[in-house]
Amino acid sequence: MNLKEWAAANGVGYSTARQWFLDGKLPVPARRVGGLILVDQPARPVPSGTVAVYARVSSANQMPNLDRQVARIVAWTASQNLAVGRVVTEVGSALDGHRRKFLALLRDPDVTTIVVEHRGRFARFGAEDVQAALEASGRRLLVVDPAEVDDDLVRDITEILTSMCARLYGRGAAANRAARAVAAATEDRP
């Protein structure tokens, strides 16, 4: 991983980490490759325990997508040489915390690895906090498609607006109202 990623993951400012590297005080092995500074992370021990696949869709009319989602996650998990011990599927919104199976999965200490397709399937908001709590207890969250995880301010604002609109107006109109609010906020004004 590059030095900037390492610094962010360890709560250190990039300029501080860079200075540590230049001074030879960086607490992990690192090397310069061209213009990059690459940090050699020691391999973390893989937790032994149950590997659980978690798949979720928002509504009952998306049930066919649930089976395809499970198949993609299980195939990816097998390609990582992990044996799936449990498959948990759920129909419910990620906008609230009322997902019974999801919460049971988090509470189960035997589940050491949770695999999801996208971070949004796991949690819309606070996924980083949940992931940090899992890691603190020796567990981990694996995301099959991390490309969706890129920080995008507009997407984050849209999700927050959708959540607020869902509480105010009901779930059916929430996405539409959030989209109109984002469009109104981003239109050019004279």
Side-chain angles (χ1 to χ4, degrees), residues 37-58:
I37 299 172
L38 298 180
V39 175
D40 299 327
Q41 287 286 71
R44 290 185 191 173
V46 175
S48 62
T50 303
V51 174
V53 166
Y54 179 75
R56 181 191 60 78
V57 292
S58 298

Side-chain angles (χ1 to χ4, degrees), residues 57-126:
V57 292
S58 298
S59 62
N61 62 353
Q62 296 175 330
M63 287 296 284
N65 295 338
L66 190 60
D67 294 334
R68 290 191 292 271
Q69 188 181 144
V70 168
R72 287 189 300 266
I73 298 170
V74 169
W76 182 87
T77 305
S79 75
Q80 301 298 308
N81 295 323
L82 295 170
V84 176
R86 204 160 131 197
V87 175
V88 177
T89 60
E90 197 160 36
V91 177
S93 173
L95 295 176
D96 59 26
H98 305 298
R99 291 180 283 144
R100 196 178 87 254
K101 293 179 181 180
F102 169 71
L103 294 173
L105 189 62
L106 290 177
R107 286 186 193 114
D108 188 350
D110 294 333
V111 175
T112 56
T113 304
I114 301 171
V115 186
V116 296
E117 186 172 32
H118 300 288
R119 192 171 301 261
R121 297 291 98 196
F122 180 67
R124 287 278 187 221
F125 307 110

Side-chain angles (χ1 to χ4, degrees), residues 155-175:
R155 187 196 64 190
D156 292 344
I157 299 273
T158 302
E159 288 177 358
I160 291 168
L161 282 171
T162 302
S163 175
M164 290 178 179
C165 289
R167 290 182 182 166
L168 288 173
Y169 306 114
R171 302 209 189 286

